Amino acid sequence: MVEHPEDPSRSGSRGRGLTRDSIVTAALAQIDEAGVSALSMRSLAERLGVEAMSLYRYVRGREDLLEGVVDVLTGDLMDSLDDEVAEHWQGLLQAMAHEMRRIAIEHPRAFPLVASQNPAAPWLRPPLRSVEVVDAFLAALLARGFSDAQAVATYRSFSSFLLGQLLLEAAAHETADEPATGTTAEHDGPDVEARAPQVFRLRERLSEDHSREEFEAALESLLDRLENSLALHR
């Protein structure tokens, strides 16, 4: 698991010893608490106890700051994988998928940035947008006997799987973290029952959280499809 430095805004060193890393770490902490829309250079400067202009010595602006947050979330992805588990390509994809899921669950408000921020290379697909991560991922597949075409096809399928699964799960976790705005009775009120009787009737089943099981089942299905595709082209 990747360990991130302490949020400097929570330490006793407010406004002292600013670095790009400390600023980006504070930005991630603010996003985790209040969401991306709440982040601005001014609000971050207030959090750090400095003037907003002092931040521009280390970051070019809000977009550069958001790019830094994405780098923090995914930059050490490959280094965090267990070498023994990732020895085979199936283990590599499983380990990467689980690590990305951990990031999405721990940072549900920040995770959508990995899909929305422009990557350094415009042909890269979310959520694997770091050129270093994608390069290491492709190199690992090629070292395991994949052809160029197979490695790229696997990258595309794997990226699409992660994006679909984890954006939904991150959104669910973000909603679960938000304070309730009404009582259960209000949410289950007669208006919902009248407009959507089946949704109302099945509301308990619909509210059950099976995200982990669904993620594992979808991952296994993807690995099976990739294995069958690779077998056809050997």
Side-chain angles (χ1 to χ4, degrees):
M1 182 182 297
V2 178
E3 295 184 359
H4 301 313
E6 179 186 359
D7 173 11
S9 66
R10 300 305 187 204
S11 70
S13 59
R14 288 171 61 87
R16 290 180 291 169
L18 283 181
T19 65
R20 179 179 173 85
D21 287 345
S22 68
I23 292 169
V24 170
T25 298
L28 175 57
Q30 184 171 338
I31 292 171
D32 283 341
E33 293 172 8
V36 176
S37 61
L39 178 69
S40 67
M41 299 296 283
R42 182 182 298 276
S43 65
L44 183 60
E46 291 177 357
R47 183 184 185 94
L48 290 166
V50 299
E51 294 295 327
M53 288 302 298
S54 65
L55 300 183
Y56 287 92
R57 293 178 56 192
Y58 307 95
V59 294
R60 295 188 298 275
R62 188 173 185 272
E63 287 303 307
D64 185 35
L65 191 59
L66 295 179
E67 289 176 14
V69 169
V70 173
D71 287 341
V72 167
L73 292 175
T74 64
D76 296 329
L77 181 63
M78 296 297 292
D79 293 337
S80 66
L81 305 183
D82 186 304
D83 291 338
E84 186 174 346
V85 171
E87 180 178 355
H88 302 288
W89 71 265
Q90 294 96 332
L92 172 68
L93 266 61
Q94 285 182 326
M96 289 191 69
H98 290 144
E99 183 64 10
M100 288 297 295
R101 182 173 183 268
R102 180 192 66 77
I103 294 169
I105 291 173
E106 291 184 1
H107 305 280
R109 291 186 172 96
F111 187 77
L113 286 172
V114 303
S116 61
Q117 284 303 108
N118 293 326
W123 55 87
L124 297 182
R125 297 154 63 94
L128 302 179
R129 298 290 279 271
S130 163
V131 290
E132 292 82 8
V133 169
V134 175
D135 192 72
F137 178 68
L138 294 173
L141 293 180
L142 294 170
R144 288 161 175 76
F146 281 55
S147 68
D148 289 353
Q150 290 169 337
V152 170
T154 299
Y155 161 69
R156 288 174 174 164
S157 297
F158 188 56
S159 296
S160 296
F161 157 75
L162 289 177
L163 182 65
Q165 290 286 325
L166 296 182
L167 279 179
L168 286 173
E169 192 162 358
H173 276 273
E174 180 178 3
T175 301
D177 290 340
E178 293 176 350
T181 56
T183 65
T184 302
E186 288 172 341
H187 290 299
D188 291 345
D191 185 49
V192 175
E193 184 176 13
R195 290 188 293 116
Q198 299 309 318
V199 170
F200 181 82
R201 183 177 66 84
L202 297 172
R203 63 193 182 281
E204 291 187 8
R205 291 183 180 273
L206 289 169
S207 66
E208 294 174 355
D209 182 8
H210 297 289
S211 55
R212 182 178 180 83
E213 295 93 331
E214 292 165 355
F215 180 83
E216 296 295 344
L219 178 57
E220 287 298 325
S221 177
L222 171 67
L223 294 176
D224 288 343
R225 291 199 309 272
L226 290 173
E227 175 64 32
N228 292 334
S229 177
L230 292 170
L232 289 174
H233 296 90
R234 282 173 182 159

